[in-house]
Amino acid sequence: MDEAAALAADQVARPSDFIREFVEEDLRTGKSCGRVATRFPPEPNGYLHIGHAKAICIDFGIANQYDGTCNLRYDDTNPVVEDVEYVDAIEADIRWLGFQWASLHYASDYFESIYEFACLLIRKGLAYVDDLDEEQIREYRGNFYVKGRESPFRDRTVDENLELFKAMREGAFADGAKVLRAKIDLNSQNMNLRDPLLYRIKHAHHHRTGNDWCIYPMYDFAHPLSDSLERITYSICTVEFEAHRPLYDWFIEKCDAFPSRQIEFARLNLTYTVMSKRKLLQLVQQNRVTGWDDPRMPTLAGMRRRGYTPEAIRAFCERIGVAKNDSVVDVALLEHAVREDLNRRSPRMMAVLKPLRLVIENWPEGETWDIQAPNFPEDPSHGTRTLPFSKVLYIERDDFKEEAVKGWFRLSPGAEVRLRYACLVRCTGVVKDPATGEVVELRATMDMDSKGGNSPDGRTVRGTLHWVSVMHAVDAQVRLYDRLFNVENPNASNPGCPQSFLDFLNPDSLEELPCCKVEPALASVAPGERVQFERIGYFCADSKDHSPSRPVFNRTVGLKDSWARAERKGKDSLKAKGVGDPALNSGPALFAAAVVNAGESSVPVAAPGQSGASVQALADFKPLAAQITIDDFAKIDLRVGLVKEAGLVEGAKKLIRLCVDVGEGHLRTVFAGIRAAYPDPAVLVGRRVIVVANLKPREMKFGLSEGMCLAAGEPETGLFVATFDGEARPGDKVS
RNA sequence: UCUCCGGUCGUCCAAUGGCAGGACACAGGAUUUUGGUUCCUGUUAUCGGGGUUCGAAUCCCUGCCGGAGAACCA
């Protein structure tokens, strides 16, 4: 226990990623005076998305963890693409995520200082005004294989440069006529070092500085100096900026500025999602979505409207970790994070999305029963609300099947289910539209002694359905959101067939259900409030369109649905194996599976692939509907069993009883209908047999049978249990 | 073709020369008045080849694969 505690402490003490490792190393060695200062530097030209959330959690998270500060700084050095519209949205998103900046800045606030730094570089002979135009600069710069050439203006004197740069600032030149460049290394393999641009001329209106400036610094120049001016210790950014780091360091060194340090991590990619601002903007502009806050967008505004919580997003960011590998995170992890959070905070309510009438025949007309239903069934301390029950209810259309299939324990003719919090009902009739054959109503009788939902006699009722009283139901619109793209990587572009990410848009990403029926309590939830619709998923009242008179709910994420998964899997495996298509069925396997499906036969069956009497029986064997699959058959657990006792069964003509050791520490009783072959079952004692070990124990007339023995034989000789001798121990797996 | 960065379960992240571990996903089971939740169990990985070392995911060499890089964008 002490050891475990020490181990746990040890794990907590270790930094959780390589950035925190740098931070702790610096803290240990006293670098930067034990101070931690970070910044989050968005460009105000788009909405924040889940990828930014990762960066925000790192920037603010590290500052918080080490008692440091994190500033919000808008990187607004390019007036032509930036807009105030985004500034407010960005601040709202960061606050919503749960973070507060130490101070708010704009790179544009530093324009004067940055200008002074540029003059300093000129005076040091490290920057020059170049008259080459855009294309010429590109040409002179060379490429990965060709060295760069010096501009003819590279050797202007300091005075000339100073004068020209001043003239640039004063508006003496047209856009593009001149630029200020750093004098570094035209032969560097790092293209960023081939005399990068420091300033360009743009006679443009800036959202903050107005028309004060007509020259604007480039990101590479402005960013390190802005960091430095704010005395940022860790300038954390994504890996695309890695090649810019030598430049970042060069500017700081040559300007004698505070030594901020740039550290890069891998940006977030998510399956079924696009993350680039350009693509998100395209979705908005082409009306593929309703806006930046469309609940299908990976923007924070969209996720908020969808019902995501900041806690869930932060937990997600913590779990994906921080590294430099180029990676794609499974969106299932995000969904897990939001389910985990919503599960513990959402009250449970009932809503019927696709209503089907259910009439309780033995319930008095017009009478209402007010049920007090718990808001959090697992924690009654959170109170109840009134849930009215009456003669006619709505249940979910998907909860009824006219023909029950294997494993179906919802409603079907004759079947009994529980109505959540109410009672047990048995389906007694189906009313169909005579014209279309569509089921329009179900009839049922209720067990009057089952009020509350418990069976009076202890009988098990596996299915529990949600429902809403017709006369009390409230109409609501429900919007079912699904992933926006139907391929894992919508960014993929094959050279052969150039496809746009737009080609991968999921046409079913939004299903609108206009006529849902919800319980009365749901009419009074506030916009933005989150609830669980029992058995369906997590929903939130739409922040824009919801009102008590016209409730609108957005699905945040569905509940895990193991029935849907099993159904899907069954279909897939049927398709894959050709089961269900009689022409493709292979006899023995289906036969054996059919017997297993029956689940009640104590008659030994032939092992698949073996020929003999059992296989011949196939001729008159009618394949079952698609209820069982090859996969079901593959689940059979075959074990070696050692026969300890064997005897006849009194009163049965065909049965013998075996007591078999399957290595479980106790003996299993197995009945086998092969008395004809073993008039004296005692010969089986001490023999090893093959037992199907994972069948549900079956209550028979003569006792409980806890398995089956494999048997085979010829028509003339009858069936014999498959026995063998040798080394195998009881309980060994047979494959 | 050049330079830089990266390569560990299906996915994401750990292991800092000493038992390859966690989460998600998947599979099985228990509990359950949500086919939910919770709990238990299980399957699965160090890109290849050399070398150094008592010992290599980790260090060295080499090959392969992925990402980034030639905006007056950030």
Side-chain angles (χ1 to χ4, degrees):
Chain A
M1 168 142 174
D2 286 348
E3 207 174 316
L7 195 70
D10 190 44
Q11 278 164 353
V12 168
R14 170 153 266 141
S16 56
D17 59 70
F18 74 100
I19 300 177
R20 280 167 234 255
E21 218 161 281
F22 287 139
V23 172
E24 293 193 14
E25 171 68 17
D26 289 352
L27 254 21
R28 249 194 316 279
T29 59
K31 220 166 141 188
S32 54
C33 312
R35 196 173 55 88
V36 172
T38 61
R39 102 272 91 113
F40 175 64
E43 186 187 17
N45 68 344
Y47 278 69
L48 261 26
H49 54 62
I50 181 76
H52 293 111
K54 174 179 179 182
I56 291 169
C57 288
I58 294 171
D59 290 329
F60 285 89
I62 286 178
N64 292 348
Q65 182 179 344
Y66 298 100
D67 268 334
T69 57
C70 180
N71 293 345
L72 170 59
R73 181 175 69 233
Y74 293 102
D75 235 323
D76 56 351
T77 56
N78 187 359
V80 301
V81 298
E82 291 147 10
D83 205 309
V84 273
E85 173 202 346
Y86 300 110
V87 170
D88 294 337
I90 287 170
E91 284 170 39
D93 285 345
I94 297 172
R95 272 200 216 93
W96 176 74
L97 246 196
F99 296 105
Q100 183 55 55
W101 44 93
S103 56
L104 173 65
H105 303 276
Y106 292 80
S108 53
D109 291 344
Y110 307 132
F111 280 172
E112 193 61 48
S113 306
I114 294 169
Y115 177 83
E116 288 303 324
F117 279 119
C119 293
L120 174 65
L121 289 180
I122 293 173
R123 285 196 296 276
K124 285 183 163 186
L126 294 172
Y128 61 97
V129 173
D130 197 348
D131 295 5
L132 258 31
D133 66 27
E134 194 170 346
E135 196 165 322
Q136 290 169 316
I137 288 176
R138 196 168 19 246
E139 189 193 324
Y140 273 70
R141 184 141 45 203
N143 58 41
F144 303 141
Y145 320 113
V146 179
K147 289 181 177 177
R149 275 152 51 219
E150 293 190 358
S151 160
F153 305 98
R154 199 175 196 250
D155 293 318
R156 291 215 248 233
T157 65
V158 167
D159 289 342
E160 193 182 357
N161 281 319
L162 241 23
E163 199 169 311
L164 284 170
F165 187 46
K166 189 160 173 256
M168 278 169 67
R169 175 180 184 169
E170 285 163 355
F173 309 111
D175 285 9
K178 285 181 169 33
V179 293
L180 184 72
R181 297 178 72 180
K183 197 186 282 187
I184 307 182
D185 178 6
L186 287 162
N187 293 331
S188 175
Q189 273 301 331
N190 185 341
M191 299 299 294
N192 296 308
L193 264 22
R194 317 251 270 222
D195 286 10
L197 268 63
L198 267 40
Y199 269 91
R200 73 285 214 195
I201 300 171
K202 276 180 197 276
H203 291 270
H205 183 267
H206 186 279
H207 73 108
R208 278 183 67 82
T209 60
N211 297 322
D212 292 355
W213 294 86
C214 64
I215 58 171
Y216 292 94
M218 301 292 291
Y219 165 88
D220 279 326
F221 187 50
H223 202 86
L225 297 174
S226 303
D227 284 342
S228 206
L229 288 166
E230 289 174 30
R231 305 183 76 75
I232 298 299
T233 55
Y234 305 100
S235 180
I236 303 166
C237 61
T238 49
V239 285
E240 313 84 270
F241 293 99
E242 202 159 20
H244 296 242
R245 178 156 27 102
L247 191 51
Y248 184 100
D249 293 339
W250 190 89
F251 285 131
I252 284 181
E253 183 199 330
K254 301 304 180 193
C255 294
D256 298 310
F258 176 84
S260 302
R261 201 235 279 215
Q262 176 178 303
I263 304 173
E264 312 86 12
F265 66 92
R267 68 181 332 152
L268 171 67
N269 297 293
L270 265 186
T271 55
Y272 301 99
T273 311
V274 296
M275 207 73 89
S276 95
K277 270 188 203 171
R278 202 199 92 243
K279 288 176 179 165
L280 296 177
L281 181 64
Q282 211 174 327
L283 291 170
V284 173
Q285 287 178 340
Q286 295 186 6
N287 293 318
R288 307 294 184 129
V289 294
T290 58
W292 285 102
D293 67 346
D294 185 297
R296 293 165 291 183
M297 292 283 273
T299 52
L300 295 181
M303 295 174 75
R304 176 167 58 231
R305 192 163 170 204
R306 173 99 171 235
Y308 272 78
T309 61
E311 290 81 0
I313 294 175
R314 280 189 260 127
F316 168 75
C317 289
E318 209 162 290
R319 282 185 196 199
I320 57 175
V322 183
K324 293 183 72 166
N325 306 342
D326 186 37
S327 62
V328 185
V329 174
D330 192 340
V331 74
L333 186 54
L334 217 210
E335 291 172 352
H336 172 262
V338 74
R339 277 197 199 100
E340 187 178 53
D341 188 39
L342 259 16
N343 175 52
R344 67 175 156 247
R345 71 197 302 165
S346 318
R348 315 286 134 126
M349 300 276 161
M350 294 214 277
V352 176
L353 268 33
K354 296 171 186 164
L356 175 63
R357 283 164 58 91
L358 174 74
V359 179
I360 313 293
E361 293 180 313
N362 55 341
W363 185 266
E365 195 85 44
E367 188 165 312
T368 296
W369 167 27
D370 279 341
I371 299 172
Q372 289 306 306
N375 297 324
F376 286 81
E378 267 153 65
D379 185 357
S381 71
H382 286 86
T384 64
R385 83 281 180 188
T386 300
L387 184 62
F389 178 95
S390 64
K391 185 175 179 73
V392 187
L393 311 172
Y394 288 119
I395 64 162
E396 204 69 63
R397 197 162 270 277
D398 292 347
D399 282 337
F400 174 76
K401 252 191 214 299
E402 235 182 321
E403 283 179 52
V405 296
K406 181 196 164 203
W408 177 262
F409 46 81
R410 276 115 97 155
L411 211 55
S412 60
E416 186 176 42
V417 296
R418 171 170 23 252
L419 295 177
R420 178 124 231 217
Y421 306 126
C423 61
L424 303 179
V425 295
R426 187 178 295 280
C427 178
T428 53
V430 179
V431 182
K432 292 184 186 178
D433 180 328
T436 63
E438 187 199 6
V439 176
V440 293
E441 185 180 284
L442 263 24
R443 316 288 296 187
T445 52
M446 130 179 204
D447 180 341
M448 290 296 180
D449 296 325
S450 68
K451 277 193 172 183
N454 291 308
S455 61
D457 56 359
R459 67 178 183 273
T460 53
V461 174
R462 286 202 73 183
T464 299
L465 269 41
H466 58 277
W467 53 272
V468 171
S469 162
V470 168
M471 59 186 285
H472 303 91
V474 173
D475 289 322
Q477 192 202 109
V478 170
R479 310 203 266 228
L480 264 20
Y481 293 103
D482 201 352
R483 45 187 60 147
L484 234 197
F485 295 93
N486 47 28
V487 296
E488 254 192 43
N489 180 7
N491 302 300
S493 57
N494 301 324
C497 50
Q499 272 176 308
S500 158
F501 71 105
L502 295 169
D503 297 336
F504 302 120
L505 275 168
N506 175 9
D508 305 318
S509 59
L510 169 59
E511 186 183 355
E512 285 186 276
L513 304 172
C515 312
C516 302
K517 304 292 181 179
V518 303
E519 65 165 281
L522 277 169
S524 55
V525 302
E529 204 169 316
R530 306 178 185 92
V531 296
Q532 185 198 93
F533 288 176
E534 290 213 58
R535 304 210 308 131
I536 302 177
Y538 297 99
F539 290 76
C540 101
D542 189 77
S543 51
K544 284 186 173 168
D545 303 330
H546 174 88
S547 70
S549 58
R550 188 173 170 276
V552 178
F553 294 95
N554 300 331
R555 179 170 70 189
T556 309
V557 65
L559 252 29
K560 282 208 275 184
D561 188 344
S562 54
W563 168 250
R565 203 191 320 147
E567 227 178 9
R568 221 179 306 125
K569 207 175 77 182
K571 246 180 238 166
D572 288 350
S573 71
L574 281 175
K575 228 185 290 165
K577 313 268 169 138
V579 177
D581 177 353
L584 295 175
N585 285 343
S586 69
L590 225 201
F591 174 75
V595 174
V596 171
N597 173 65
E600 45 200 42
S601 171
S602 63
V603 179
V605 305
Q610 261 174 321
S611 59
S614 53
V615 175
Q616 285 194 343
L618 252 185
D620 45 16
F621 170 67
K622 192 159 152 274
L624 295 172
Q627 300 176 7
I628 43 150
T629 67
I630 298 295
D631 281 357
D632 292 335
F633 188 63
K635 286 178 193 159
I636 293 177
D637 186 17
L638 299 180
R639 300 279 173 174
V640 173
L642 179 63
V643 179
K644 293 289 198 183
E645 292 171 34
L648 300 174
V649 179
E650 287 301 315
K653 281 190 200 138
K654 293 182 181 169
L655 291 180
I656 63 174
R657 179 196 286 110
L658 302 175
C659 292
V660 188
D661 176 5
V662 199
E664 298 166 308
H666 63 91
L667 299 183
R668 288 207 197 192
T669 303
V670 176
F671 292 90
I674 47 174
R675 184 158 166 179
Y678 299 98
D680 177 13
V683 301
L684 285 169
V685 173
R687 305 296 304 269
R688 286 167 174 79
V689 298
I690 302 171
V691 177
V692 182
N694 60 341
L695 288 180
K696 274 231 153 68
R698 167 84 184 162
E699 194 61 60
M700 299 177 64
K701 190 174 164 192
F702 307 101
L704 193 68
S705 185
E706 303 165 293
M708 290 162 62
C709 290
L710 288 193
E714 297 294 333
E716 307 82 45
T717 56
L719 286 171
F720 287 88
V721 170
T723 63
F724 58 97
D725 302 306
E727 294 306 302
R729 291 182 311 265
D732 281 356
K733 211 167 163 60
V734 179
S735 55

